[in-house]
Amino acid sequence: MRISDDFIKNDVPAFGQIKDGDHVFFRFAENADMKILFLGNSITRHGKAEDIGWFGDWGMAASCRENDYVHRLVSRLQKDGKKVSYCVANLSEWERTRDVTLLETRYGQAKKFGADIVVVRLGENAQLAENLNAFISCYRSMVGYFKGKAKVILTDLFWEYEPFDRFVREFAEENGYAFVQLNDLGSCAEMKAIGKFRHQGVAAHPGDRGMAEIAERIYRVMEH
């Protein structure tokens, strides 16, 4: 069983990543050509956490909002001439608790967004070594809850955990979803924010180069 060292070292708390009532946000474009829903955790969006030296409110640990993978991807699509509305939902509390009621009570507005594309990039907060089978079952239900008629894009983990990464790939294949491999990035120092933050867990997150690579890989499957 392959477990990334950084998967073990990432000690950014799974709780309190976003203030209550702010777990979902929207950006709308007039006469949008596409609507994208991003379902993620701290790599997708983490609010300010001064106790760990994080002062942003975007994907940890990009240097600015424009450099996280969500905004790089949206920018890339805009350069293609597309008008993009998007919704970002931090599901870290659901990852941690597997509380299915949260999908409707906390994230119901994300479902009502009616996305054309749903990008699912999460799993690191699920304590997978202890809860793999339980989380897999909840993950299946979560994807089903949000997908509607959208194209679904699933990614594996940034920090490799082979049993879950294998499941995501197979789950995508079984259901005709697009799949994006990311688990090779978490073992590359140049893809992380090492030296940019004093907190080890924050620094282990993707830096600007890692975010750019995540965005590029998602973009490639989105265009097919």
Side-chain angles (χ1 to χ4, degrees), residues 7-18 23 40-43 45-54 60 90-97 124-127 159 199-203 205:
F7 186 93
I8 299 169
K9 293 176 183 177
N10 174 32
D11 55 354
V12 172
F15 57 88
Q17 293 187 0
I18 299 291
H23 293 83
N41 50 35
S42 59
I43 294 176
R45 182 191 174 204
H46 195 301
K48 184 184 295 186
E50 296 183 12
D51 57 321
I52 58 173
W54 173 248
M60 185 181 281
N90 179 300
L91 268 65
S92 56
E93 185 70 9
W94 169 83
E95 279 182 296
R96 184 175 65 86
T97 64
E124 287 88 353
N125 294 316
Q127 299 177 315
W159 302 290
H199 189 276
Q200 177 178 257
V202 177
H205 280 63

Side-chain angles (χ1 to χ4, degrees), residues 42-158:
S42 59
I43 294 176
T44 300
R45 182 191 174 204
H46 195 301
K48 184 184 295 186
E50 296 183 12
D51 57 321
I52 58 173
W54 173 248
F55 298 92
D57 185 8
W58 53 80
M60 185 181 281
S63 61
C64 61
R65 179 174 287 106
E66 291 76 17
N67 284 338
D68 74 13
Y69 85 87
V70 168
H71 294 90
R72 280 185 174 272
L73 178 59
V74 170
S75 178
R76 178 70 180 269
L77 292 166
Q78 290 171 336
K79 288 178 181 177
D80 289 344
K82 296 182 173 65
K83 297 178 182 178
V84 182
S85 291
Y86 61 100
C87 172
V88 177
N90 179 300
L91 268 65
S92 56
E93 185 70 9
W94 169 83
E95 279 182 296
R96 184 175 65 86
T97 64
R98 304 186 303 281
D99 181 354
V100 295
T101 66
L102 288 175
L103 298 181
E104 183 172 352
T105 60
R106 181 166 291 179
Y107 307 111
Q109 290 302 312
K111 177 182 175 66
K112 293 177 183 177
F113 179 61
D116 304 303
I117 300 172
V118 176
V119 179
V120 184
R121 207 248 56 83
L122 47 74
E124 287 88 353
N125 294 316
Q127 299 177 315
L128 292 169
E130 296 82 21
N131 302 307
L132 179 62
N133 290 334
F135 185 72
I136 282 175
S137 177
C138 291
Y139 182 96
R140 289 179 182 273
S141 298
M142 179 272 295
V143 173
Y145 175 79
F146 285 108
K147 74 179 182 67
K149 297 180 180 180
K151 175 177 181 175
V152 176
I153 300 174
L154 307 181
T155 86
D156 57 14
L157 303 177
F158 181 74

Side-chain angles (χ1 to χ4, degrees), residues 32-44:
D33 299 306
M34 59 171 45
K35 299 166 69 177
I36 307 173
L37 170 59
F38 296 93
L39 303 172
N41 50 35
S42 59
I43 294 176
T44 300

